[in-house]
Amino acid sequence: MKLVIGNKSYSSWSLRGWLAAKQSGLAFEEQVIPLYGAGWDTVWRSEPLLAPSHGKVPVLWDDDVVVWDSLAILEHLADKVGRDRFWPKAAPARAMARAMAAEMHAGFAALRRELPMNLRRAPAPLPLSPAVHADVVRILTLWAEARARYGQGGPFLFGAFGAADIAFAPVALRFTTYGVAVPGFARAYMDALGDHEWMQAWVKAAALEEWTIPQFDEAAAG
């Protein structure tokens, strides 16, 4: 398999796709595309690897099968290795995990727009707009409910690391980057994510990247 992703410093969707590939336990090659850099419109966006997604990342090539969109990639991999590797076994927990991942996938537009993922930004508080504050409250409510109802088996949302954590991992990074105040249970969850070997590997690799996206850096500066 080959997973095509964007800059690790900026691409939250690439992080989700990459974590899904790691969670599958299957061997894969990764190819990082420098988003919006030199030759982006003339070379990279017309690259056959990105053609099926119309220039968006991540894209997973699995022999003669191609899948784009991080949630679709996760579900494709779950079909290959068994859905219990990604989703809780119990039906009520599984239903909630799916709903949370779908809500993250489709919603929280203000958070995405105003607190873009940027691992190059030195962590510092940024004033939150009412819309972002509402998104933060909703996310913390979801985290609290998942942890209280189904989190007894480990430090993650549903105990063991899984699809819901993959969906919210970039959010935890955003909360840290922009100094979002969170209650103790959320801090403990974010610390567990930060201590996960895959998250540490991603952050370390992002720090080694030489590519920058000036417009993203300006947006992150507030």
Side-chain angles (χ1 to χ4, degrees):
M1 296 193 304
K2 173 179 282 191
L3 181 70
V4 185
I5 59 177
N7 315 47
K8 291 185 175 181
S9 293
Y10 304 98
S11 184
S12 59
W13 293 112
S14 292
L15 172 56
R16 293 183 177 100
W18 187 83
L19 288 173
K22 298 293 282 187
Q23 181 72 3
S24 75
L26 300 173
F28 68 98
E29 172 191 354
E30 67 176 69
Q31 179 167 344
V32 181
I33 301 293
L35 304 177
Y36 306 108
W40 170 245
D41 289 320
T42 57
V43 178
W44 287 113
R45 290 195 73 173
S46 59
E47 167 67 41
L49 286 172
L50 293 177
S53 67
H54 199 57
K56 295 181 179 180
V57 291
V59 180
L60 179 70
W61 290 85
D62 183 4
D63 291 329
D64 59 344
V65 175
V66 59
V67 191
W68 59 97
D69 183 280
S70 59
L71 188 56
I73 289 170
L74 185 151
E75 292 288 19
H76 171 74
L77 294 170
D79 285 342
K80 286 178 68 77
V81 301
R83 308 194 68 78
D84 288 351
R85 183 182 285 265
F86 287 89
W87 302 102
K89 292 183 180 181
R94 183 176 296 217
M96 184 177 181
R98 282 175 169 159
M100 287 177 61
E103 184 171 347
M104 181 67 251
H105 188 264
F108 305 111
L111 179 78
R112 300 180 195 279
R113 181 177 61 253
E114 298 181 37
L115 305 185
M117 179 165 145
N118 190 328
L119 298 182
R120 292 171 46 81
R121 185 184 193 270
L126 186 72
L128 304 183
S129 71
V132 173
H133 178 73
D135 280 352
V136 170
V137 170
R138 174 59 179 167
I139 289 166
L140 292 175
T141 300
L142 290 171
W143 288 3
E145 186 173 355
R147 289 291 301 146
R149 294 175 61 185
Y150 305 113
Q152 294 77 16
F156 300 104
L157 291 175
F158 292 83
F161 185 85
D165 305 294
I166 291 170
F168 284 97
V171 174
L173 291 176
R174 282 177 163 101
F175 283 2
T176 298
T177 296
Y178 296 98
V180 177
V182 299
F185 84 90
R187 173 54 56 192
Y189 169 58
M190 290 165 57
D191 288 345
L193 280 175
D195 289 340
H196 196 292
E197 62 177 325
W198 299 338
M199 291 289 283
Q200 291 187 346
W202 179 277
V203 171
K204 186 177 296 185
L208 297 176
E209 288 181 340
E210 297 181 356
W211 308 307
T212 63
I213 306 179
Q215 63 267 36
F216 286 12
D217 290 341
E218 291 171 6

